[in-house]
Amino acid sequence: MSATEPSSARITALDILDVRFPTSEHLDGSDAMNPEPDYSAAYVVLRTDAGDGLEGHALAFTTGRGNDAQAAAIATLSPHVVGLSVEEVCADLGGFSRSLVHDPQLRWLGPEKGTIHMATGAVVNAAWDLAAKRAGKPVWRFLSDMSPEELIAQVDFRWLSDALTPGESLEILRRAEPGRERRVGHLLDQGYPAYTTTPGWLGYSDEKLARLAREAVADGFTQIKLKVGADLEDDVRRLRVAREAVGPDIRVAVDANQRWDVQPAIDWVRALAPYDPYWIEEPTSPDDILGHAAVREAVSPIKVATGEHIANRVVFKQLLQARAVDIVQIDSARVGGVNENIAILLLAAKFGVPVCPHAGGVGLCEMVQHLSMFDYVAVSGTTEDRVIEYVDHLHEHFVDPVRVTDGHYLAPTLPGLGAQMHPESLKEYSYPDGPVWSARRIRLSSMSPSVCGIRNRSDGT
């Protein structure tokens, strides 16, 4: 049999690229904890000798400095991936995920948290992208077509069984089986509800905030989000501006990006309460379960949401057990990939808490939409009080960018996870020597030393 026959095909390379976008120039993505982010991707390509031209693409998202460290962490996984059978990896994605997560030496760097776990997630997601492409399906449909038993096989239940067992998970999935095809049809016809953070970056003027908020409502969004946490007086004014722009019937969420201790969070949110914020996102440290519970009790009926910086399924489990959150926010690139996100979706379903993913960034919208759509079809069976975050940044760099119409994500139809970027974008924005960054260095070097110094802190040089 030829070496290029599918049954003997091997993964031949794990390519890693450091790709960064200078979003700090216009303060896109700015918030109280990340005032000048450069949206970046430690970008992964799984290559094979299958002869079908298919590759697995995914990424770990960062905000600039440290993207090289994230790429280096991904590279440590290469010896565990290169040489594996393509067919065996794609047939047992749960086993592949566990083989990386439970490496007896690399796991010491977590375990299951931080840069090494995000590296695992990037490689696992690339494997899902490859498997779905080989099946000719977008990942949301690839997952939704699996049987409950096949889905259970994807999940690592270690450390979860006091809150969620395989048997309970099987019951959740079986209850959702009736109506799967109807829900698939609904997604294809109408899409999945979205909300937008585009108006709310902290560096935007009040005029820009109001204009973008009105545009969001005109575009069909029923929820927007504002960044808060730098200055209380500014936040009260900005929330008033947003509320006046959108009226009383549009939900306005606020996001502190972990800025506060517990009591300041409570005091700050109470000061914003007259303008009816729908949720407060990341009010304090993502690891502080009891702190979130205290904030939730004190600010109700304003909801508490968190998740984009939560390291693993165990912390999500504890937040749910402690009744510390009203909204679970999964992230496609923070935890250990699709497999661990299935576990988190099942946990949320067990506790009856809606999931509203974190997105934006680079490629996060493209990837996480698949998880919410799978949740609707095969896990929760509902979109009630569920929305996917949308930010209108950088989608033009992707082969299969998100499509948002009338405030809804349209269901992807191309095979894969959606993370594949155009070769030209990878070349232009490669760091530090791509044309965009080379030109930026030349431009900054011609500025005064004080200006150059400020900007250089932003771009990592």
Side-chain angles (χ1 to χ4, degrees):
M1 181 177 292
S2 168
T4 59
E5 289 294 320
S7 60
S8 62
R10 300 282 166 178
I11 296 173
T12 56
L14 176 65
D15 293 348
I16 305 115
L17 295 86
D18 184 340
V19 183
R20 308 189 194 187
F21 298 88
T23 50
S24 62
E25 290 185 343
H26 301 288
L27 299 181
D28 298 335
S30 54
D31 60 56
M33 293 293 273
N34 305 283
E36 290 184 306
D38 284 324
Y39 279 179
S40 303
Y43 188 81
V44 176
V45 184
L46 282 180
R47 303 191 189 278
T48 83
D49 60 5
D52 54 12
L54 300 178
E55 301 168 341
H57 294 250
L59 57 89
F61 169 69
T62 79
T63 57
R65 286 191 297 275
N67 202 53
D68 49 350
Q70 185 61 70
I74 296 170
T76 65
L77 299 175
S78 182
H80 298 263
V81 176
V82 174
L84 295 180
S85 163
V86 174
E87 185 173 349
E88 290 176 6
V89 167
C90 293
D92 185 13
L93 289 159
F96 176 67
S97 171
R98 288 186 286 273
S99 73
L100 298 182
V101 170
H102 297 313
D103 175 88
Q105 295 183 11
L106 287 175
R107 74 178 301 279
W108 186 265
L109 301 176
E112 300 188 42
K113 64 177 71 73
T115 304
I116 192 65
H117 199 47
M118 291 173 65
T120 298
V123 175
V124 167
N125 283 342
W128 278 91
D129 181 61
L130 177 62
K133 287 174 178 174
R134 285 166 56 87
K137 301 176 182 180
V139 163
W140 72 269
R141 191 63 188 267
F142 184 55
L143 282 165
S144 299
D145 288 345
M146 289 183 177
S147 69
E149 292 78 10
E150 289 173 319
L151 290 169
I152 292 299
Q154 308 306 322
V155 176
D156 186 350
F157 285 94
R158 181 184 297 194
W159 305 328
L160 294 185
S161 60
D162 58 318
L164 179 72
T165 66
E168 289 173 322
S169 299
L170 201 57
E171 289 179 13
I172 291 168
L173 294 167
R174 284 176 175 164
R175 282 199 304 268
E177 276 193 292
R180 273 194 186 190
E181 286 306 311
R182 174 183 56 80
R183 292 190 289 273
V184 167
H186 180 268
L187 282 177
L188 292 171
D189 289 341
Q190 300 186 36
Y192 195 102
Y195 79 91
T196 181
T197 307
T198 296
W201 300 118
L202 204 59
Y204 288 177
S205 67
D206 289 358
E207 292 75 18
K208 187 171 184 177
L209 186 163
R211 173 176 57 81
L212 292 175
R214 289 191 294 267
E215 290 175 2
V217 175
D219 289 339
F221 292 100
T222 58
Q223 178 176 326
I224 65 171
K225 189 170 77 181
L226 270 61
K227 300 293 186 173
V228 298
D231 181 272
L232 178 57
E233 184 177 339
D234 285 347
D235 287 347
V236 171
R237 186 193 70 254
R238 293 172 64 252
L239 190 52
R240 181 179 67 248
V241 168
R243 180 56 70 196
E244 290 172 352
V246 303
D249 298 327
I250 298 297
R251 289 175 173 175
V252 181
V254 294
D255 182 0
N257 291 93
Q258 317 152 42
R259 181 63 183 259
W260 304 314
D261 285 353
V262 171
Q263 191 58 49
I266 293 168
D267 296 340
W268 206 295
V269 174
R270 284 175 173 169
L272 300 178
Y275 301 101
D276 192 25
Y278 179 59
W279 76 50
I280 174 61
E281 182 174 332
E282 289 200 308
T284 192
S285 165
D287 300 326
D288 190 353
I289 290 95
L290 298 182
H292 276 86
V295 173
R296 180 174 182 258
E297 182 178 5
V299 305
S300 179
I302 298 169
K303 300 180 186 299
V304 169
T306 197
E308 72 179 85
H309 278 86
I310 289 178
N312 55 53
R313 66 201 183 283
V314 179
V315 182
F316 278 102
K317 178 193 76 169
Q318 293 179 356
L319 284 163
L320 292 164
Q321 287 174 316
R323 301 186 182 279
V325 290
D326 299 287
I327 306 290
V328 164
Q329 294 179 301
I330 60 172
D331 183 280
S332 58
R334 173 65 59 176
V335 299
V338 169
N339 301 76
E340 190 164 24
N341 269 311
I342 295 172
I344 297 163
L345 291 170
L346 287 166
L347 280 164
K350 162 74 182 295
F351 284 87
V353 175
V355 176
C356 299
H358 168 251
V362 180
L364 300 184
C365 295
E366 278 73 16
M367 293 190 292
V368 86
Q369 62 181 329
H370 292 270
L371 299 173
S372 281
M373 292 178 187
F374 156 68
D375 175 69
Y376 170 53
V377 173
V379 184
S380 69
T382 182
T383 59
E384 184 177 358
D385 288 331
R386 289 160 166 82
V387 280
I388 307 171
E389 184 173 20
Y390 174 69
V391 179
D392 189 16
H393 295 159
L394 307 175
H395 303 295
E396 67 274 15
H397 299 289
F398 290 86
V399 172
D400 185 22
V402 295
R403 297 170 298 147
V404 174
T405 300
D406 194 26
H408 286 71
Y409 274 79
L410 302 184
T413 56
L414 294 182
L417 187 58
Q420 184 169 349
M421 295 177 68
H422 291 295
E424 297 82 4
S425 295
L426 295 173
K427 180 180 178 181
E428 286 288 309
Y429 292 91
S430 64
Y431 186 88
D433 297 323
V436 167
W437 290 101
S438 295
R440 181 181 169 96
R441 279 197 302 276
I442 293 170
R443 185 173 71 253
L444 293 179
S445 67
S446 66
M447 295 180 179
S448 67
S450 60
V451 173
C452 188
I454 291 171
R455 283 304 182 186
N456 279 350
R457 286 197 297 273
S458 172
D459 68 21
T461 59

